[in-house]
Each structure stands twice: as structure tokens, then as C-alpha cells.
């Protein structure tokens, strides 16, 4: 196996966590910006609790941490836009599927991790599934405010930012220090630094409605924050233990969880074509992370 079985299990758990908090966010129809802000600020609190008990990270890791925070802010922006224009079952697989695809394309040149033949086949399957998902369902009557083209555009932009933070965090956690405590310290500092900005922005642009929303829906952000930050912490730690493209690919089996949640929990139409497209994407992701076949 490219990745140890225990890490595989943890990444599958992280994938389910990621799809879960995205479904919680998409289901919030009153103020997603505020809820997303609480999700990330919960991570800040978690990081602040952990930092005093962890060692300092190496100086060379701070540049990757800074890059990751900037890329994450762009990621939040594009993700919220994608969810405002399209369904979870449409936008989520495109955004999450693009991350490992792009990481795989640049991993040899920028990271020194080269693809096997089956990895290339996996990339092709990913691409085919993404193109299929991007085509609107003919039988679907668009929801008020839905714009398929914009949803796809912002989902693609989200995918680029996902690839960016996977690479920056992968390099950062590897440069953080020699042992597990340094890796955990990198994760904690990332939670601290990336967390509060969305909530600060939400309070600045509409303070009265934000507080009113949070009084009624604070639980959504808190629960989502615990799930989101734990899941991404697992993913970052795994990036220190295996090839980035393969860790990213295995984590993004969340596309199937997300597609199913969008259909079963949020009442979004899916259709046979999207079911097959999601299966093709997951097949490509698993093939990229599977044992040597040829």
C-alpha cells in the first residue's frame, strides 16, 4: 500500500467529517458566512488550547503556514460563492475532485513525487467524472437564484485553492520539526491563524443580523467546527506520512459522501448520470492510492 492501513482508515474518517461539515454549512440558508465564521473560529479556540502544550515549529515552516492562511481565505470565498449558486451534490464533487487532480499534475515537478502508470489512469478517470458532473441535468428545474455556470466556475476555483493548501500544508508539516509533537504544533498554529477572519468579516459587514443569526444557529457552527478542524488535522498529519497526491486522493473520497448527503439529507436531485460520475471519480481516487497493479 502507498499509505499505511491505519492512515487509510483515519483519512476515510476525515473524508466523512469533511462531507459532514460541508453539508451542515450548505443546509444553512440564513447566513452561511456567519456559520462558516463560527466553524473556523472554533478551530482557533481549539488551536489556542493546544499551542501551550506543544513545542515551537521550525522557522522554515512559518512561510508555508503564511501561504496556507492566504490560500485558505481564498478557499472560503470561492466555496461560499459556489454554494450560493449551486447544489452541494454538484459543486462539492467538482471542488474536491480537482484538488488531488492538480496536486498529481504538479507533484513531480514541485514536490519530487512522481506518478505511476495507474496514477495517470486515475487522473484520467477523475477528469472524466468531473466533466460529467459539470454538465447540468436536463430534467432539473433550477432553484431560485441558482446559476449552474457560476456554480461550476467557483467550484473549479475552489479546487485550485484546495490544491494550493494541500501542497503548502504538506510542505509545512514536513518542515515543522522531527517528531509528532512538531506536526501537531503546525496543525494547532494553522487553526489559530486561519480561523477568525471570516467571523470578523461577517461582523463588520452586517453586525446586527450576524448576532441574531448566531443566537439561533450557533450550534451549527460549533458542531461543524469540531468536525471540520479535527478532520483537517488528520489530513495534514497524514501529509507527513505519505505522498501528497495519494493522501489528497484518498481524503477526497469525501466526494461520494458529499454527493449522497446532498441528495439524501438536503433533498437535492442527483440522477443516474451523477451517480455514475461520482463512482468514476471515487474509482480514480482509489486507483491513485491503491497497491501497485502493473
Amino acid at each position: 500500500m502507498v499509505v499505511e492501513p491505519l492512515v487509510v482508515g483515519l483519512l476515510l474518517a476525515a473524508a466523512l467529517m469533511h462531507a459532514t461539515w460541508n453539508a451542515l454549512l450548505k443546509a444553512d440558508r440564513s447566513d452561511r458566512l456567519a456559520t462558516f465564521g463560527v466553524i473556523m473560529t472554533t478551530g482557533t479556540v481549539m488551536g489556542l488550547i493546544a499551542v501551550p502544550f506543544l513545542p515551537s515549529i521550525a522557522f522554515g515552516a512559518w512561510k508555508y503556514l503564511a501561504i496556507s492562511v492566504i490560500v485558505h481565505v481564498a478557499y472560503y470565498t470561492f466555496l461560499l460563492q459556489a454554494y450560493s449558486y449551486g447544489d452541494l451534490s454538484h459543486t462539492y464533487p467538482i471542488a474536491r475532485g480537482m484538488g488531488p487532480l492538480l496536486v498529481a499534475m504538479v507533484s513531480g515537478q514541485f514536490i519530487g513525487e512522481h506518478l505511476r502508470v495507474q496514477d495517470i489512469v486515475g487522473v484520467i478517470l477523475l477528469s472524466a467524472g468531473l466533466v460529467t458532473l459539470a454538465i447540468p441535468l436536463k430534467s432539473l428545474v433550477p432553484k431560485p437564484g441558482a446559476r449552474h455556470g457560476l456554480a461550476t466556475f467557483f467550484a473549479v476555483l475552489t479546487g485550485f485553492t484546495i490544491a494550493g493548501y494541500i501542497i503548502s500544508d504538506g510542505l509545512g508539516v514536513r518542515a515543522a520539526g522531527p517528531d509528532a509533537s512538531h506536526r501537531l504544533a503546525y496543525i494547532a498554529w494553522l487553526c489559530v491563524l486561519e480561523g477568525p477572519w471570516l467571523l470578523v468579516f461577517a461582523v463588520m459587514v452586517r453586525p446586527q443580523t450576524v448576532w441574531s443569526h448566531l443566537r439561533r444557529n450557533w450550534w451549527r457552527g460549533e458542531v461543524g467546527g469540531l468536525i471540520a478542524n479535527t478532520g483537517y488535522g488528520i489530513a495534514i498529519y497524514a501529509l507527513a506520512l505519505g505522498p501528497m497526491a495519494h493522501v489528497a486522493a484518498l481524503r477526497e473520497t469525501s466526494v461520494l459522501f458529499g454527493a449522497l448527503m446532498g441528495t439524501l439529507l438536503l433533498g437535492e436531485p442527483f440522477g443516474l448520470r451523477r451517480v455514475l460520475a461520482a463512482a468514476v471519480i471515487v474509482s480514480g481516487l482509489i486507483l491513485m492510492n491503491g497497491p501497485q497493479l502493473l
Side-chain angles (χ1 to χ4, degrees):
M1 292 292 291
V2 176
V3 179
E4 292 294 326
L6 176 60
V7 180
V8 170
L10 289 173
L11 283 169
L12 289 175
L16 179 58
M17 291 178 192
H18 194 281
T20 300
W21 78 258
N22 272 261
L24 281 170
L25 178 62
K26 184 65 172 73
D28 184 353
R29 302 186 184 278
S30 59
D31 195 334
R32 289 195 188 101
L33 176 60
T35 296
F36 205 171
V38 176
I39 288 173
M40 301 314 302
T41 304
T42 301
T44 297
V45 175
M46 294 168 67
L48 287 172
I49 293 172
V51 161
F53 302 98
L54 296 168
S56 300
I57 63 175
F59 179 77
W62 285 100
K63 62 182 178 182
Y64 298 115
L65 197 58
I67 293 171
S68 179
V69 170
I70 294 171
V71 174
H72 269 95
V73 171
Y75 162 71
Y76 308 148
T77 303
F78 296 145
L79 182 67
L80 286 169
Q81 289 295 317
Y83 285 170
S84 68
Y85 289 119
D87 287 340
L88 178 73
S89 56
H90 167 66
T91 56
Y92 186 83
I94 294 175
R96 304 313 307 183
M98 283 205 65
L101 171 63
L102 294 170
V103 172
M105 290 174 63
V106 304
S107 59
Q109 181 177 358
F110 293 103
I111 311 172
E113 297 174 353
H114 298 282
L115 298 178
R116 304 166 296 173
V117 172
Q118 69 193 69
D119 296 327
I120 297 173
V121 175
V123 168
I124 294 172
L125 288 174
L126 266 172
S127 301
L130 290 170
V131 170
T132 303
L133 273 177
I135 302 172
L137 297 172
K138 294 182 179 179
S139 60
L140 179 61
V141 178
K143 294 180 180 179
R147 300 182 65 179
H148 186 89
L150 280 176
T152 301
F153 174 70
F154 283 112
V156 170
L157 290 181
T158 303
F160 275 93
T161 59
I162 290 169
Y165 71 62
I166 287 172
I167 294 173
S168 60
D169 285 335
L171 294 173
V173 75
R174 294 177 184 184
D179 56 36
S181 62
H182 291 91
R183 297 166 189 163
L184 293 175
Y186 179 91
I187 295 168
W189 274 114
L190 178 63
C191 289
V192 170
L193 296 176
E194 74 167 351
W197 308 115
L198 278 180
L199 187 57
V200 170
F201 179 71
V203 171
M204 288 175 60
V205 296
R206 46 179 186 268
Q208 294 180 346
T209 58
V210 164
W211 297 123
S212 174
H213 168 79
L214 293 181
R215 280 194 294 270
R216 298 189 306 271
N217 297 284
W218 62 268
W219 63 270
R220 192 186 299 274
E222 292 290 341
V223 173
L226 290 171
I227 296 171
N229 290 281
T230 301
Y232 191 53
I234 293 172
I236 296 177
Y237 196 92
L239 288 169
L241 305 178
M244 290 187 200
H246 298 85
V247 171
L250 188 56
R251 184 194 178 217
E252 303 313 349
T253 52
S254 61
V255 298
L256 185 55
F257 295 129
L260 291 175
M261 287 179 182
T263 300
L264 300 178
L265 300 181
L266 303 182
E268 300 173 355
F270 202 56
L272 179 60
R273 176 166 57 77
R274 285 187 177 178
V275 171
L276 295 175
V280 169
I281 290 172
V282 172
S283 298
L285 295 171
I286 293 174
L287 187 62
M288 289 175 64
N289 200 63
Q292 186 72 38
L293 298 179
L294 300 175

